Amino acid sequence: MKMRTRNRFATAAVALAFAMSAMAGSALAAPAKAKAPQPAAVKGEIQPKAVDLLKAMSDAIGHAKTLGFDVISTYESPSRYGPPLAYKTMSHVALQRPDKLKVVTTADGPPTEFYYDGKTMMSFAVQENLVAMADAPPTVDQTLEALYKTSGTYFPFADFLVSDPYADMAKSLTLAFYIGQSNVVGGVTTDMVAYESEGVFVQVWIGADDKLPRMARAIFFDDPMRLRHQVEISNWKLDAPMKPEEFTSAKAAGASKIPFEHPSTHQAPAAAHAGSGKPATKPASAAH
């Protein structure tokens, strides 16, 4: 995919910040602190063992015809007092390669649903009964990119949805090293790998036996507050049968129609800077 990873996580955080602001009052409305000088991205060695584990993870999820998993996403946003607060969402994901995807987000914030059936993509705001619908490209990879371009919406776990995750990160991989093993995350033994790509430092926990990602944490080098973004992935189901009707929703299709719209349309130039981590003034779309 061509879009930058930095923008992906940042957009998800911005959209979610708006959703959570309705619950947290003005906690997210505090003005941003003056920015510190931006440190340079890390450049260092790329260890073969780390690369092998990243490739194995990519193969494990890229070769599966269907994927099902649950995700708890956590992102930080500065409080009015400075120290960051953590916000969470839970999403249920179903994917069938090459052209079907469903993401249902149910916890902490307004519930949202996204459906892609190979022809149409729908972002459904359940409480508001609003849906944005548009013709979609023929693959999940292309649809995720189209969704980002048309609405600024990006799922923070999208790197695990594309057909070849390692190919994406390898384009600008500047650092990769093996940390060691953990017996804490996901109830299984995992290998921990850290890497840097496109200005994002990521630590990922990969199942030692099945090579599936169990958790990932990301920090953006151009974020002066070094806020952390985390996904915890569980209930993996690979190559399980899925029915076509799972990737569409009559309820969503019957909701009141709104157009997909990118958040930059309503942001002042300074606020539209991608990766700023600032709360949005309007929802990016019905998907978050």
Side-chain angles (χ1 to χ4, degrees), residues 49-139:
K49 182 173 183 177
V51 170
D52 289 345
L53 285 167
L54 293 174
K55 287 181 177 178
M57 177 189 70
S58 180
D59 289 344
I61 54 181
H63 291 170
K65 294 181 179 179
T66 66
L67 296 176
F69 55 88
D70 297 331
V71 187
I72 296 178
S73 303
T74 306
Y75 81 95
E76 295 180 340
S77 183
S79 69
R80 67 172 67 188
Y81 305 105
L85 301 174
Y87 297 96
K88 292 179 176 288
T89 62
M90 174 177 282
S91 300
H92 306 280
V93 180
L95 178 149
Q96 179 176 303
R97 301 194 189 285
D99 59 358
K100 292 179 176 56
L101 174 65
K102 177 179 72 174
V103 179
V104 175
T105 301
T106 57
D108 288 359
T112 60
E113 300 177 2
F114 175 81
Y115 298 93
Y116 164 58
D117 63 0
K119 297 180 179 179
T120 302
M121 59 180 182
M122 298 192 296
S123 291
F124 178 40
V126 179
Q127 290 182 345
E128 296 82 359
N129 196 36
L130 297 173
V131 64
M133 299 176 62
D135 294 338
T139 69

Side-chain angles (χ1 to χ4, degrees), residues 106-245:
T106 57
D108 288 359
T112 60
E113 300 177 2
F114 175 81
Y115 298 93
Y116 164 58
D117 63 0
K119 297 180 179 179
T120 302
M121 59 180 182
M122 298 192 296
S123 291
F124 178 40
V126 179
Q127 290 182 345
E128 296 82 359
N129 196 36
L130 297 173
V131 64
M133 299 176 62
D135 294 338
T139 69
V140 170
D141 289 23
Q142 293 170 329
T143 296
L144 289 171
E145 186 166 0
L147 179 65
Y148 176 77
K149 288 181 176 178
T150 57
S151 69
T153 300
Y154 189 81
F155 303 114
F157 42 85
D159 286 348
F160 305 129
L161 301 177
V162 297
S163 56
D164 191 346
Y166 182 75
D168 271 5
M169 68 178 72
K171 293 174 184 175
S172 56
L173 193 67
T174 57
L175 174 71
F177 62 92
Y178 180 70
I179 302 169
Q181 286 194 325
S182 170
N183 294 309
V184 176
V185 174
V188 299
T189 300
T190 55
D191 288 302
M192 294 179 288
V193 173
Y195 65 94
E196 190 277 332
S197 178
E198 296 190 83
V200 187
F201 184 85
V202 180
Q203 181 177 353
V204 60
W205 284 253
I206 302 170
D209 293 329
D210 57 20
K211 307 305 179 188
L212 296 174
R214 304 290 177 169
M215 188 166 78
R217 290 164 59 90
I219 296 175
F220 301 88
F221 288 113
D222 65 353
D223 176 3
M225 297 191 68
R226 295 298 177 94
L227 300 175
R228 288 156 292 192
H229 309 255
Q230 177 173 305
V231 292
E232 301 168 58
I233 307 175
S234 61
N235 296 328
W236 277 103
K237 297 177 182 176
L238 274 64
D239 293 324
M242 293 184 180
K243 298 179 179 178
E245 52 266 31

Side-chain angles (χ1 to χ4, degrees), residues 10 13-15 17 28 32-33 35 77-78 267 270-273 275-281:
V14 167
L28 298 179
K33 301 291 184 182
K35 288 187 175 182
S77 183
Q267 289 179 318
H273 169 62
S276 65
K278 296 177 180 178
T281 55

